[in-house]
């Protein structure tokens, strides 16, 4: 469980609580208070995603498709389930889009571990896990927004995150919800100076997705700055957090290299998946082709392009608003990785799902607006997200 505190409901650190059953009861009450404080955000997030699920279910019925296979066993979900059942390959090979070492291990490991004790199939376990992680992620987004700008902004931020154009992925058997949950609470821990939590969650995130490098960079940079400014125990804790944060990502990349017997093994695997960093040249070509030259662009690719362009603009607003450096580094490196990589174009909106701090300028503005305006904007975002989610899973021919 991540550090469950908010700017409005501080709790006593675990190290200062007396031992024994009384401490456990106090811990339970503190979690209950924090959960109650975040309840409007979580209920709003649930309302958005349940509406999206209802739209998807109705659309799937009209097309004669099943909802469960689309969410639990499609595209990347199959790769994670296969890894959970059979493990990783030990060869590089030459086949394109066929090496499972491209997929990081934490999510399939959790499926395997929970599947050993939970009822149902591995696919069901993975889907429930993703759904639960999405709630933890929404809670984390709320906590960050509340700490920086107050409860209303935190609530709007959580709802906006659920209403993203490709928000349907949050309830699929994918890693985005798990990664966002780890990232949100790690960033929150940094804002509160809890370097142990921040580094531990960053390590877990680094074992979840390739973009874990963005969180590792953010925690490391923030830890180094805090170490320079701090004294004594605070300096030691910040230095330790800065040193530990990258170990998850580096550990998996190093393990792949050792397994394949070459130092660049992980990057060789990524090349087989057509993923290489080219500084954004491929992204610019795709954007130019879709938005300037293609007379009949595919709708989903237009939506992806819009997300990339808007995300870049939102980052500029975040910088202008002088967000905490840890958030700017996280979102900046995330954008650098996603926009700077060549290869497949269509999943890039999904890759940016964990970048919830990019939504803070919008959430802050909506929190200050009249309630009717806020409700209208959030309702419209939820409707667009629900429609695009159905289109993405039932009409678009490729992966999300």
């Amino acid at each position: 469980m991540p550090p469950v505190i908010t700017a409005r409901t501080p709790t006593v650190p675990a190290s200062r609580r007396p031992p024994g059953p009384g401490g456990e009861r106090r811990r339970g009450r503190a979690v209950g208070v924090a959960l109650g404080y975040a309840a409007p955000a979580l209920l709003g997030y649930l309302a958005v995603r349940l509406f999206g699920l209802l739209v998807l279910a109705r659309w799937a019925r009209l097309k004669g498709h099943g909802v469960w296979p689309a969410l639990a066993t499609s595209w990347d979900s199959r790769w994670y389930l296969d890894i959970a059942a059979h493990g990783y390959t030990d060869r590089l090979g030459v086949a394109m889009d066929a090496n499972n070492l491209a997929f990081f291990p934490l999510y399939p490991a959790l499926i395997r571990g929970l599947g050993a004790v939970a009822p149902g199939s591995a696919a069901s376990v993975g889907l429930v896990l993703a759904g639960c992680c999405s709630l933890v992620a929404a809670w984390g987004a709320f906590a960050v927004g509340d700490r920086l700008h107050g409860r209303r902004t935190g609530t709007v931020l959580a709802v906006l995150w659920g209403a993203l154009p490709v928000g349907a992925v949050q309830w699929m058997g994918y890693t985005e919800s798990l990664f966002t949950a780890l990232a949100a609470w790690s960033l929150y821990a940094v804002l509160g100076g809890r370097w142990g939590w921040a580094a531990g969650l960053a390590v877990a995130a680094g074992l979840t997705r390739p973009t874990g490098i963005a969180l590792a960079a953010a925690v490391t940079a923030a830890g180094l700055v805090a170490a320079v400014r701090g004294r004594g125990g605070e300096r030691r804790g910040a230095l330790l957090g800065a040193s530990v944060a990258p170990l998850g990502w580096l550990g998996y990349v190093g393990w792949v290299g050792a397994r394949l017997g070459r130092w660049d093994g992980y990057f060789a695997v990524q090349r087989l998946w057509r993923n290489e960093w080219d500084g954004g040249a491929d992204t610019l070509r795709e954007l130019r082709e879709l938005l300037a030259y293609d007379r009949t662009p595919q709708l989903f690719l237009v939506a992806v392009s819009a997300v990339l362009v808007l995300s870049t603009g939102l980052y500029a607003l975040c910088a202008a608003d002088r967000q905490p450096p840890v958030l700017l580094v996280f979102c900046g490196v995330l954008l650098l990785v996603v926009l700077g990589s060549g290869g497949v174009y269509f999943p890039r909106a999904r890759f940016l799902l964990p970048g919830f701090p990019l939504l803070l300028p919008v959430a802050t503005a909506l929190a200050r607006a009249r309630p009717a305006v806020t409700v209208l904007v959030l309702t419209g975002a939820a409707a667009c997200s629900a429609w695009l989610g159905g289109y993405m899973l039932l009409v678009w021919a490729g992966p999300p």
Side-chain angles (χ1 to χ4, degrees):
M1 174 68 70
V4 183
I5 59 173
T6 72
R8 301 295 190 269
T9 55
T11 61
V12 181
S15 60
R16 299 181 185 175
R17 296 191 189 108
E24 293 300 321
R25 286 195 294 270
R26 279 186 287 273
R27 186 192 302 271
R29 286 196 296 269
V31 171
V33 170
L35 185 59
Y37 184 72
L42 298 180
L43 290 173
Y45 171 78
L46 271 175
V48 169
R49 294 291 4 120
L50 286 172
F51 176 68
L53 183 62
L54 289 174
V55 171
L56 177 63
R58 176 60 178 168
W59 200 334
R61 183 175 181 181
L62 293 174
K63 291 182 67 69
H65 292 292
V67 173
W68 186 89
L71 296 176
T73 61
S74 64
W75 303 108
D76 286 6
S77 301
R78 293 197 295 266
W79 286 98
Y80 291 117
L81 294 172
D82 182 73
I83 293 168
H86 306 295
Y88 286 102
T89 182
D90 58 1
R91 295 180 176 85
L92 180 60
V94 295
M96 303 300 291
D97 307 329
N99 194 307
N100 65 4
L101 288 167
F103 298 89
F104 279 52
L106 183 58
Y107 181 62
L110 290 175
I111 293 175
R112 186 183 183 95
L114 293 173
V117 297
S121 65
S124 299
V125 170
L127 192 58
V128 171
L129 176 63
C132 292
C133 287
S134 76
L135 289 171
V136 178
W139 191 358
F142 163 79
V144 170
D146 172 57
R147 183 180 187 91
L148 296 177
H149 300 290
R151 188 183 189 189
R152 188 170 181 182
T153 296
T155 300
V156 174
L157 182 62
V159 176
L160 278 175
W161 183 70
L164 285 172
V166 292
V169 174
Q170 296 166 10
W171 282 12
M172 293 180 67
Y174 276 52
T175 58
E176 273 71 21
S177 289
L178 173 60
F179 180 78
T180 307
L182 295 168
W185 286 106
S186 180
L187 295 170
Y188 180 78
V190 170
L191 294 174
R194 298 189 168 196
W195 296 106
W197 275 108
L201 292 167
V203 168
L207 293 169
T208 304
R209 290 197 56 77
T211 46
I213 189 64
L215 183 62
V219 175
T220 297
L224 292 175
V225 171
V228 171
R229 296 176 176 175
R231 297 179 180 178
E234 181 184 356
R235 174 177 293 179
R236 289 191 295 272
L239 277 176
L240 182 61
S243 302
V244 170
L247 294 184
W249 190 88
L250 291 174
Y252 181 68
V253 170
W255 178 81
V256 172
R259 189 171 181 84
L260 297 179
R262 50 186 293 179
W263 70 271
D264 66 339
Y266 171 75
F267 303 100
V269 170
Q270 287 295 335
R271 285 192 291 272
L272 290 176
W273 284 86
R274 303 177 177 85
N275 289 327
E276 291 185 84
W277 201 82
D278 63 3
D282 184 69
T283 302
L284 290 175
R285 282 194 298 269
E286 292 282 356
L287 284 171
R288 184 177 58 185
E289 176 66 26
L290 281 166
L291 302 180
Y293 297 109
D294 193 342
R295 294 185 177 180
T296 57
Q298 298 185 67
L299 176 62
F300 183 68
L301 296 182
V302 172
V304 171
S305 301
V307 168
L308 299 184
V309 173
L310 289 173
S311 295
T312 304
L314 287 172
Y315 185 75
L317 289 177
C318 292
D321 286 345
R322 297 184 179 180
Q323 278 188 10
V326 66
L327 302 185
L328 292 176
V329 174
F330 171 64
C331 291
V333 177
L334 183 66
L335 283 167
L336 193 65
V337 171
V338 175
L339 300 180
S341 297
V344 290
Y345 184 76
F346 50 81
R348 298 191 194 190
R350 170 168 64 87
F351 294 165
L352 288 176
L353 264 177
F356 70 91
L358 293 171
L359 300 169
L360 268 171
V362 181
T364 304
L366 288 176
R368 295 171 179 169
R370 290 180 298 175
V373 173
T374 303
V375 170
L376 181 63
V377 172
L378 292 180
T379 301
C384 292
S385 176
W387 184 86
L388 188 61
Y391 182 92
M392 176 178 67
L393 294 177
L394 300 173
V395 179
W396 166 248

